Amino acid sequence: MTLILGTESCRLDSAGRFKLPIALKNQLQEGESRFVVRPSVYAECLELWTYSSFVEEMEKLRGQLNPYSIEDLELLRKMMACNNVELDNNDRVLIPMEQKGVLGDSKDIVLQAMGSYIEVWNKEKYKAMESKPVNYAEKANRRLGSLSADLSHRKDAE
């Protein structure tokens, strides 16, 4: 799985395409040009996955869901509501018509890498989300504090 890092600002052209910044493109595996775009279930943005990362993620998800559960099928349906896209010869990605509404009318977007995928945000919505006061130290301590304690305990035991 490809690990993608970084935040980049871009602009959509009149056809709804953006040029994948070289800083992000250089992190992809050689020849990787096929992607999956879907609306996020967590935020008002799109998710841009490399095709191979998306397939891997969906295989894990399908393995955890019961195909005979209506609730699990609804979740799977939402997670699979996506489109395949490819980089064109100019390293541009076309946002599919079905998903342009998520970005609104603005042509300015922000690409926020999330490790295995890239969030595609309307720039104004991204700025609003980023400006919300959040105590990251508290969140990190709550979510990762016990992990840090476990790791230091293991080092002490060695």
Side-chain angles (χ1 to χ4, degrees):
M1 181 182 287
T2 303
L3 181 66
I4 308 168
L5 307 170
T7 304
E8 301 283 338
S9 292
C10 296
R11 190 156 176 79
L12 293 173
D13 66 14
S14 59
R17 299 172 297 199
F18 67 90
K19 185 169 178 72
L20 187 64
I22 195 74
L24 296 176
K25 185 174 186 283
N26 284 343
Q27 296 177 59
L28 302 176
Q29 294 178 6
E30 181 78 25
E32 200 161 35
S33 63
R34 191 171 170 198
F35 295 89
V36 173
V37 178
R38 74 171 179 196
S40 173
V41 294
Y42 300 107
E44 290 183 71
C45 67
L46 297 173
E47 297 174 354
L48 180 69
W49 294 74
T50 64
Y51 184 79
S52 58
S53 292
F54 185 78
V55 168
E56 188 176 320
E57 191 69 20
M58 289 304 98
E59 285 175 354
K60 280 193 283 188
L61 178 65
R62 286 183 1 189
Q64 295 175 351
L65 297 177
N66 177 351
Y68 300 103
S69 162
I70 291 173
E71 188 173 274
D72 286 4
L73 286 174
E74 289 171 343
L75 178 59
L76 184 61
R77 188 175 298 120
K78 182 65 175 173
M79 301 300 271
M80 300 281 292
C82 58
N83 292 85
N84 289 306
V85 295
E86 289 197 38
L87 285 179
D88 67 13
N89 292 335
N90 294 314
D91 294 335
R92 294 176 301 192
V93 175
L94 174 66
I95 301 296
M97 194 65 129
E98 298 83 6
Q99 294 154 345
K100 284 183 184 174
V102 173
L103 299 177
D105 294 332
S106 176
K107 299 291 183 191
D108 295 314
I109 62 172
V110 174
L111 305 179
Q112 173 64 62
M114 298 295 289
S116 55
Y117 64 95
I118 299 168
E119 290 180 338
V120 181
W121 286 85
N122 166 303
K123 189 171 188 172
E124 293 304 314
K125 287 182 182 179
Y126 182 81
K127 285 169 44 176
M129 180 268 305
E130 281 288 293
S131 68
K132 289 180 184 174
V134 177
N135 186 335
Y136 290 104
E138 183 181 306
K139 281 184 182 251
N141 187 50
R142 189 171 52 246
R143 298 291 300 151
L144 305 173
S146 62
L147 178 62
S148 297
D150 286 347
L151 292 175
S152 55
H153 176 60
R154 287 183 196 165
K155 286 181 183 177
D156 293 342
E158 293 174 358

